[in-house]
Amino acid sequence: MKEPKERKHSKFSASGADRWQNCAGSVAISEGVEDTSSKWAEEGTRAHEILEALLRIELATCADASQIDELIKFERVLKYTPDLGFTERQHQEMTAHAKNTAKFILNLNKEANPQILVETRISLEFIHPAAFGTFDGAALEFYGILDVVDFKYGAGYPVSPTKNLQMIFYAMALAHKYDWAFETARLWIDQPRVKGYDGPMFWQLSIEELKSWVEVFEDKVLEVELNPDKFVEGPWCRWCKGKKLCPLKKEKRSENTRKVFSTALDISSVDFE
Ligand code: SF4
């Protein structure tokens, strides 16, 4: 998963929350390192653009002139464009998945007529000014349910919504923005291409419980600032931009090189006679 959605650099990004909360050193080391794009990341980005276009078109009401320009732009996103480097089949697959997710978002808690938000930047500036991210979709029922949805296009690594720090980030930021005026939060992940996919999955928590995560995030931000040289390896390394500069990874590479050399030396010293 990219930390792709934080198009403008966020030091404490939502999508990188698992990384920076577990490896304080990754923050400084990743600073200024360019994102290296992969075909999977590009596909994910495009699928998100299609989802946004579908939702914005569906939610558009009375269009003034400026909205019409926007809608034309979104209509264009839905058309197959060979220049982008995807096959028509890939485009159709992205569109089919994005349509299902869009439908899901638009139908969330429908009986309560919630306010739907799409691809919106949200921040935890009450914790740190450089803590922000952009969520895919949310349905806000004030004094009721706060639903937040993340669309994941990756097929390789299933992501669980339970205690998912990226989703907690979005929900906290949204709840705080609206004075915590909700009873419950549901954090949804829709990852349609993952093996065994059985529809969007969610984790539910009370707003009081959600609030208790503020302190956890504050402590983790402090840890990054107090221990910029503390490195901890784990599954979060997968998305770390600073991997090439990471001392733990460098050490591992040197160790591997040493092993290769010593194995080669052992073989050359074997007496075959
Ligand atoms: S690659 Fe290194 S810096 Fe990045 S998350 Fe892993 S341990 Fe931390």
Side-chain angles (χ1 to χ4, degrees):
M1 154 195 10
K2 48 186 185 176
E3 285 185 22
K5 279 192 287 180
E6 274 69 54
R7 285 177 189 129
K8 195 175 165 211
H9 181 63
S10 164
K11 187 173 171 187
F12 299 104
S13 67
S15 53
D18 190 38
R19 174 187 47 74
W20 61 258
Q21 295 206 13
N22 283 292
C23 175
S26 70
V27 174
I29 222 171
S30 302
E31 233 157 336
V33 178
E34 284 299 315
D35 275 319
T36 49
S37 197
S38 68
K39 68 178 172 131
W40 293 283
E42 282 166 17
E43 202 178 31
T45 302
R46 188 62 182 164
H48 277 82
E49 285 168 356
I50 293 173
L51 173 65
E52 182 185 3
L54 289 165
L55 287 166
R56 297 239 187 249
I57 290 167
E58 196 58 43
L59 290 167
T61 47
C62 53
D64 61 24
S66 65
Q67 271 189 314
I68 289 170
D69 286 348
E70 282 279 285
L71 288 175
I72 292 171
K73 195 181 85 189
F74 289 125
E75 290 285 359
R76 240 181 256 136
V77 172
L78 300 183
K79 292 213 166 70
Y80 174 58
T81 315
D83 300 356
L84 294 176
F86 303 110
T87 64
E88 190 157 11
R89 195 176 163 170
Q90 281 175 309
H91 176 80
Q92 283 166 353
E93 194 190 353
M94 289 179 213
T95 306
H97 288 311
K99 269 187 182 165
N100 287 336
T101 304
K103 195 169 159 195
F104 172 73
I105 292 171
L106 294 168
N107 282 312
L108 267 167
N109 197 11
K110 207 169 181 185
E111 57 291 353
N113 195 23
Q115 180 183 342
I116 305 285
L117 299 178
V118 176
E119 187 77 10
T120 305
R121 181 166 140 156
I122 195 91
S123 92
L124 290 178
E125 60 192 354
F126 60 99
I127 294 178
H128 194 284
F132 55 86
T134 304
F135 62 82
D136 295 327
L140 280 58
E141 179 203 359
F142 295 103
Y143 305 103
I145 302 171
L146 166 64
D147 283 300
V148 193
V149 183
D150 193 50
F151 175 47
K152 296 211 180 288
Y153 202 64
Y157 304 100
V159 182
S160 164
T162 306
K163 297 195 176 176
N164 182 299
L165 297 171
Q166 178 184 7
M167 301 308 295
I168 292 169
F169 185 120
Y170 295 142
M172 271 197 320
L174 266 169
H176 178 267
K177 183 173 176 185
Y178 294 100
D179 292 329
W180 304 93
F182 303 94
E183 263 184 17
T184 309
R186 290 190 299 199
L187 316 185
W188 294 90
I189 289 186
D190 193 18
Q191 193 174 9
R193 297 203 308 158
V194 83
K195 202 172 165 200
Y197 174 69
D198 192 24
M201 297 192 302
F202 74 98
W203 182 55
Q204 180 168 323
L205 69 171
S206 70
I207 289 302
E208 283 314 307
E209 200 185 334
L210 182 64
K211 241 185 210 175
S212 70
W213 282 88
V214 171
E215 209 179 311
V216 176
F217 275 58
E218 283 170 345
D219 288 350
K220 294 293 183 180
V221 166
L222 196 64
E223 162 125 5
V224 169
E225 300 199 318
L226 295 178
N227 299 299
D229 297 324
K230 187 177 165 194
F231 297 93
V232 180
E233 284 180 298
W236 44 86
C237 293
R238 187 177 299 136
W239 313 110
C240 180
K241 284 196 303 181
K243 211 180 286 177
K244 281 193 182 148
L245 305 169
C246 169
L248 301 186
K249 300 294 178 193
K250 274 187 187 167
E251 178 53 34
K252 216 165 237 176
R253 284 194 293 272
S254 312
E255 203 179 302
N256 285 342
T257 312
R258 274 197 299 275
K259 268 188 200 153
V260 169
F261 271 114
S262 62
T263 310
L265 283 173
D266 280 355
I267 289 171
S268 64
S269 63
V270 172
D271 187 355
F272 290 102
E273 285 186 348

